[in-house]
Amino acid sequence: PLVRIQEIEQGLIKRVLDIGAAGILVPQVVGADEVEKAVRFAKYPPWGIRGVGGERATGWGMQLGEYTAIANDETMVIPLVETVAAGKAIDAILDVPGVDAIQFGPADYSSSAGYLGQWMGPGVEAELLQIKDKIRSRGVPCGIMATDVSNGVLRQQQGFQLLGVGSDAGLM
């Protein structure tokens, strides 16, 4: 399970990982500094500053050694590229060690491009596809939210690997 955190905050990131999340989705990043901070909070030393806890992730402390031995390699940090600024900073974001994938939020990206209330404003799709190609060329998986199943199929054909189809609120 992945958890979309509400902000880059050390205690929050530690908490969701300690209770068993396999990784975090980091919303509204603008540049590499924010992503570096999220990675630092999500990873144990020497990669980061995450403190070791005796909660679900470590089997209540009973699997502390086993979990901490693999956690830095297996805990995912996925920045959400939801702004034009983040799109422009994609090379620097991809240079951050510990970034496991990139996920696009088309509606927010479109809003930041001046098209508030549109899932994809004029030119936004072409821009996201160019950024996706740059991400994929660096060997990093790339995902996007789809509007429905048929849009998800199109996104898969376009080369997106992580597909969000629907949301919990929408499904309810």
Side-chain angles (χ1 to χ4, degrees):
L2 300 173
V3 173
R4 182 188 185 278
I5 59 172
Q6 66 260 28
E7 61 184 321
I8 302 169
E9 195 271 313
Q10 185 175 2
L12 171 69
I13 292 171
K14 178 180 175 11
R15 182 76 182 131
V16 300
L17 295 174
D18 282 354
I19 62 173
I24 56 172
L25 297 161
V26 186
Q28 294 290 321
V29 299
V30 177
D33 291 345
E34 293 168 311
V35 175
E36 287 172 353
K37 192 176 191 183
V39 170
R40 242 187 4 264
F41 292 162
K43 304 290 184 172
Y44 291 120
W47 297 9
I49 60 171
R50 178 180 170 194
V52 178
E55 297 185 32
R56 177 176 285 164
T58 62
W60 311 110
M62 303 295 286
Q63 298 162 344
L64 186 71
E66 297 94 321
Y67 176 76
T68 56
I70 62 169
N72 279 349
D73 287 326
E74 294 191 4
T75 300
M76 298 185 75
V77 177
I78 304 173
L80 297 176
V81 173
E82 300 175 292
T83 64
V84 171
K88 290 180 193 271
I90 198 64
D91 286 317
I93 291 169
L94 291 168
D95 286 341
V96 175
V99 169
D100 297 292
I102 300 288
Q103 182 81 11
F104 287 116
D108 284 327
Y109 194 99
S110 194
S111 294
S112 79
Y115 304 106
L116 181 62
Q118 295 182 43
W119 187 258
M120 290 277 203
V124 169
E125 182 168 12
E127 195 170 320
L128 294 183
L129 289 172
Q130 287 177 341
I131 299 167
K132 181 261 310 168
D133 290 342
K134 186 178 283 194
I135 293 165
R136 294 285 312 274
S137 75
R138 299 270 302 262
V140 176
C142 185
I144 194 165
M145 283 298 297
T147 55
D148 55 31
V149 173
S150 63
N151 184 249
V153 170
L154 170 66
R155 296 305 185 190
Q156 183 180 28
Q157 292 168 349
Q158 291 173 329
F160 290 98
Q161 298 156 293
L162 310 168
L163 301 168
V165 181
S167 66
D168 53 355
L171 294 170
M172 291 171 82

